[in-house]
Amino acid sequence: MKLKDPVFRPLSIKEIKPEGWLKNQLRIQANGLSGNLDQFWPDIRDSQWIGGTAEGWERVPYWLDGFIPLAWLLDDPDLKHRAKDYIDRIISRQQEDGWICPDWNKSRNEYDVWAMFLLLKVLVLYHEATGEERIEEVVRKALKALDRHIDRAPLFDWGQFRWFEGLIAIWWLYERTEEEWLLDLASKIQAQGFNWKAFFRHWPYKTPDEKKRWSFMSHVVNNAMMLKSGALIWRLTGLEEDLESADVMVDLLDKYHGMVTGVFTGDECLAGLSPVQGTELCSVAEYMYSLAHLISITGQAKWGDRLEKIAYNSLPATFRPDMWAHQYDQQVNQVECSKQPEPLFQTNGGESNLFGLEPNFGCCTANLSQAWPKLALSTVMKSKDGLAVTVYAPVSVDTKVDHVPVTVNIATEYPFRDTVRFTVRTAEPTEFTLWLRIPQWAQGAYVEIQGEKRKVEQNGFYPLKRVWQGETALKLVLPMKTEAMARPNDLYAVVRGPLVYSLAVEEEWKRVNEDIPGREFPHCDYEIRAKSPWNYGLCIDRDHPEAEIRFEEHPVGDCPFSPEGAPVSARVKARKVDWLMEKGAASPVPGMRWVSEETEEVRLIPYGCTNLRMTEMPIL
């Protein structure tokens, strides 16, 4: 039996390199928490995975899942050396029967093997980066141990709800060895796992739980992860209902819990449509990873649209610009980040929207590292007849098409600009198709190649098939239309192309939790309070907002995802309205008992550049 082939296959870490602002963003990440957790955070530095006494479950694998691609994408000798040290120490502790997880002084039957699924993903990534031959046998022995283990100790808790994550290493090993027992193991894991597809046929979470009960089934990260489950198992089953399951799930999550930034609320469980109910950073990272799999397996361009929207809005907004602090929960309307004795959130605590080392729980601290590196790895993929550009960002690709060396350089300041420039070089003349993703919002897109302008009529993937030889330059223009997107309760958000725009709110940062060990500068905790008004309604025509919003471009500098470094801004007329605060947040809906007679000009910047923001506002 053969697995079903994905439409596109991701390039390896060796074949793709970040350039421009993306490379700079990865360097900011490496200089921040991601690149330094192993130096000071006990859960990484002293983990049981490497022989210490601290946490021995998900946190080291989570961190390595982002740290490894970060190290190799930046080609940083120090980061690579530290990653290798962790992998060597983990492998050295693998037991004779293949069990690779820490012995934590309890029965193995009590160990939730979600951490093993995660660690095996990490080993596959490490092999992709280094080509180390020993990794295959390490993964094989660990999967053999897992196969025996779940016969007597079936999946439970996180492993049961994240069973599909185990398929990633299983499919990788099967494609190398074609050993039939791996398909049997995949079938057993699916049978023991939670049936997300069946659950969504009669889905009970259309409103937040009034009793604020915590549930594996409404857990926001589980929901972000499971979106790829159907596509992954489709490679074994071949069932169209598996392949298409994400369409139904995303539609429901959008309808009842969706945010204008492309993610859904969950603090920590699904939380409805209110602009002040946050979403967890882990869900942002895992949703992006699910979308990368959906693009690869289905070949559908809409998943690339969604991935960009999340990556260029929700992802950077949940970090301090220097990436030394992050939030557990981010809010679409976020006018204060402060410690609250009575939490606003459904199932998270009153520190969940602080910027800090590990607000609320440390899982996001460990997992935050994967999102930017894996976005870089999702930009270009291989198709059966060439290459597909699935996400737009500045990268360079060195690969082979039909055994011919091909280099593709993508130079762009997208998403802040509408133009993407390509330079394609081939070692010898070769015919292949370069598939260009045309977003659904891009009306009037065109490709210009060797002076010839070709209008692109359809959305989806546009095929550029030709005999490529020598060096060929081409340009893709994706016009960005301004839209006032309707949101619940007669609120609206300004959207232009892949970016959501928010009212820029002046900030006052204050350090907190200074008495807690580990909160030393720069990995410390902050409250943020507003220093400027935020209670505005917009004076625009909701049907033709472009007539009254004036956009201005600024240089793309060293820290574009920051209030000061925003590469684009907008000026718009607005008036203050009656809008109260409760529990450290703007109320979900303005009172509107009064509207100021004074019209002011206010400044909007990309959502991803903000720390405090108003995104959903009334139109006056």
Side-chain angles (χ1 to χ4, degrees):
M1 178 180 177
K2 298 287 186 182
L3 291 176
K4 300 290 184 183
D5 287 329
V7 175
F8 303 135
R9 288 188 180 271
L11 296 173
S12 73
I13 299 174
K14 296 177 181 178
E15 295 176 293
I16 195 161
K17 294 297 178 190
E19 305 286 355
W21 70 258
L22 180 57
K23 183 177 182 178
N24 190 61
Q25 189 65 36
L26 294 177
R27 177 48 61 189
I28 291 172
Q29 178 174 332
N31 291 340
L33 283 178
S34 290
N36 290 283
L37 283 176
D38 59 319
Q39 309 296 302
F40 70 89
W41 197 38
D43 282 356
I44 304 296
R45 184 192 62 199
D46 306 322
S47 171
Q48 292 177 48
W49 283 99
I50 56 171
T53 57
E55 201 257 13
W57 189 52
E58 68 178 2
R59 293 190 178 177
V60 156
Y62 257 156
W63 173 68
L64 287 171
D65 199 28
F67 186 76
I68 288 170
L70 179 67
W72 268 265
L73 285 168
L74 289 174
D75 194 21
D76 185 300
D78 177 57
L79 299 183
K80 290 196 286 188
H81 172 77
R82 285 152 57 196
K84 182 178 185 305
D85 180 58
Y86 267 78
I87 294 297
D88 287 344
R89 293 166 75 179
I90 291 169
I91 289 175
S92 71
R93 303 178 68 79
Q94 185 174 29
Q95 299 182 31
E96 284 296 317
D97 65 355
W99 186 261
I100 198 168
C101 302
D103 275 333
W104 59 336
N105 302 318
K106 291 185 180 180
S107 165
R108 282 187 189 175
N109 291 356
E110 298 177 60
Y111 193 92
D112 186 341
V113 295
W114 146 240
M116 183 183 287
F117 296 160
L118 184 50
L119 189 275
L120 291 172
K121 275 201 317 176
V122 167
L123 292 173
V124 169
L125 258 179
Y126 187 72
H127 181 274
E128 181 184 301
T130 65
E132 281 204 29
E133 295 180 1
R134 62 177 176 152
I135 298 299
E136 181 178 313
E137 185 57 23
V138 170
V139 171
R140 186 178 184 278
K141 287 175 63 178
L143 287 173
K144 281 284 190 183
L146 176 67
D147 194 16
R148 294 187 296 270
H149 178 76
I150 63 173
D151 286 345
R152 298 289 297 274
L155 302 180
F156 65 92
D157 286 357
W158 301 102
Q160 182 184 11
F161 286 86
R162 299 176 179 181
W163 59 269
F164 44 85
E165 298 287 322
L167 299 180
I168 295 167
I170 293 173
W171 292 167
W172 174 81
L173 187 58
Y174 179 79
E175 290 191 326
R176 297 172 67 83
T177 67
E178 295 192 355
E179 295 176 10
E180 288 292 320
W181 69 270
L182 290 164
L183 303 184
D184 296 338
L185 173 58
S187 180
K188 287 160 63 174
I189 287 174
Q190 181 195 19
Q192 292 186 13
F194 183 73
N195 191 335
W196 287 103
K197 186 176 66 176
F199 182 60
F200 268 78
R201 291 195 193 110
H202 186 80
W203 189 55
Y205 290 117
K206 295 177 182 178
T207 58
D209 192 308
E210 292 182 1
K211 296 181 180 178
K212 298 186 177 181
R213 295 175 299 188
W214 191 98
S215 163
F216 281 107
M217 294 169 286
S218 68
H219 189 271
V220 65
V221 184
N222 286 347
N223 278 267
M225 287 179 163
M226 67 82 193
L227 292 172
K228 62 182 175 293
S229 60
L232 282 167
I233 199 63
W234 167 84
R235 297 198 62 196
L236 178 66
T237 67
L239 297 175
E240 287 300 307
E241 63 183 275
D242 287 333
L243 187 63
E244 297 169 0
S245 61
D247 297 74
V248 175
M249 295 165 173
V250 168
D251 286 347
L252 286 169
L253 288 164
D254 279 347
K255 182 177 180 179
Y256 296 105
H257 304 280
M259 299 165 69
V260 69
T261 53
V263 294
F264 42 88
T265 59
D267 55 30
E268 167 160 317
C269 296
L270 297 173
L273 295 168
S274 166
V276 296
Q277 291 300 147
T279 197
E280 188 181 332
L281 170 53
C282 275
S283 70
V284 173
E286 294 295 351
Y287 199 166
M288 289 173 59
Y289 185 58
S290 288
L291 289 166
H293 279 280
L294 288 170
I295 298 166
S296 168
I297 294 170
T298 71
Q300 293 183 8
K302 66 180 179 180
W303 302 126
D305 294 4
R306 180 66 66 114
L307 177 53
E308 285 186 352
K309 192 164 197 178
I310 296 171
Y312 297 146
N313 294 285
S314 291
L315 176 61
T318 196
F319 287 99
R320 181 179 162 97
D322 63 7
M323 295 191 74
W324 269 109
H326 72 284
Q327 294 179 291
Y328 196 80
D329 289 332
Q330 66 168 287
Q331 300 159 288
V332 167
N333 284 356
Q334 183 168 281
V335 299
E336 183 172 302
C337 302
S338 59
K339 300 170 71 171
Q340 294 294 317
E342 185 180 352
L344 168 79
F345 300 114
Q346 295 285 327
T347 48
N348 283 339
E351 295 192 8
S352 296
N353 74 343
L354 296 187
F355 282 78
L357 173 62
E358 48 178 324
N360 204 57
F361 293 125
C363 53
C364 290
T365 310
N367 195 23
L368 62 82
S369 297
Q370 70 160 307
W372 278 120
K374 289 186 180 178
L375 178 75
L377 295 173
S378 301
T379 51
V380 182
M381 300 185 184
K382 283 193 174 181
S383 66
K384 290 182 173 64
D385 59 353
L387 296 171
V389 185
T390 47
V391 169
Y392 292 112
V395 296
S396 60
V397 168
D398 284 295
T399 187
K400 289 185 177 181
V401 178
D402 290 334
H403 308 291
V404 176
V406 174
T407 299
V408 180
N409 180 264
I410 303 176
T412 185
E413 293 181 336
Y414 184 96
F416 311 110
R417 308 288 188 265
D418 65 3
T419 300
V420 187
R421 299 181 184 277
F422 302 82
T423 304
V424 182
R425 301 180 184 88
T426 60
E428 59 186 75
T430 183
E431 184 179 59
F432 66 87
T433 302
L434 183 65
W435 296 89
L436 303 177
R437 197 190 101 255
I438 309 300
Q440 290 180 331
W441 49 258
Q443 304 300 313
Y446 66 87
V447 175
E448 188 174 308
I449 182 168
Q450 295 180 332
E452 177 192 355
K453 186 181 291 188
R454 304 181 187 179
K455 190 175 181 181
V456 178
E457 300 291 348
Q458 81 282 1
N459 302 126
F461 280 99
Y462 175 76
L464 197 57
K465 184 177 181 179
R466 58 183 284 120
V467 176
W468 305 85
Q469 61 183 77
E471 181 175 297
T472 306
L474 62 120
K475 178 174 71 172
L476 172 66
V477 177
L478 301 169
M480 297 180 179
K481 181 182 177 182
T482 305
E483 178 184 359
M485 184 172 289
R487 299 295 297 154
N489 300 310
D490 290 324
L491 301 181
Y492 291 81
V494 174
V495 179
R496 182 171 179 255
L499 296 181
V500 178
Y501 285 78
S502 303
L503 176 74
V505 179
E506 293 182 25
E507 310 159 356
E508 182 177 28
W509 291 66
K510 177 186 176 183
R511 278 189 63 182
V512 294
N513 296 333
E514 294 182 62
D515 57 330
I516 299 177
R519 301 306 199 276
E520 300 81 16
F521 183 83
H523 42 86
C524 43
D525 293 356
Y526 301 92
E527 291 183 329
I528 317 178
R529 287 181 167 79
K531 290 178 61 181
S532 63
W534 50 263
N535 53 316
Y536 284 97
L538 301 176
C539 301
I540 59 175
D541 181 340
R542 69 194 67 184
D543 297 319
H544 302 284
E546 67 280 354
E548 294 149 312
I549 303 178
R550 185 176 76 255
F551 286 89
E552 303 170 347
E553 294 183 351
H554 315 289
V556 180
D558 292 337
C559 193
F561 290 107
S562 65
E564 302 79 16
V568 61
S569 62
R571 299 285 179 178
V572 62
K573 302 294 185 184
R575 284 192 255 169
K576 292 188 179 74
V577 301
D578 168 38
W579 207 325
L580 300 177
M581 287 186 68
E582 52 184 335
K583 297 180 181 179
S587 59
V589 182
M592 301 298 287
R593 290 173 295 184
W594 63 266
V595 177
S596 173
E597 295 181 358
E598 180 186 1
T599 300
E600 306 174 43
E601 186 176 73
V602 298
R603 183 170 179 258
L604 308 182
I605 61 175
Y607 181 104
C609 301
T610 64
N611 301 304
L612 297 182
R613 68 189 76 90
M614 284 298 286
T615 310
E616 296 185 7
M617 294 174 278
I619 286 181
L620 306 179

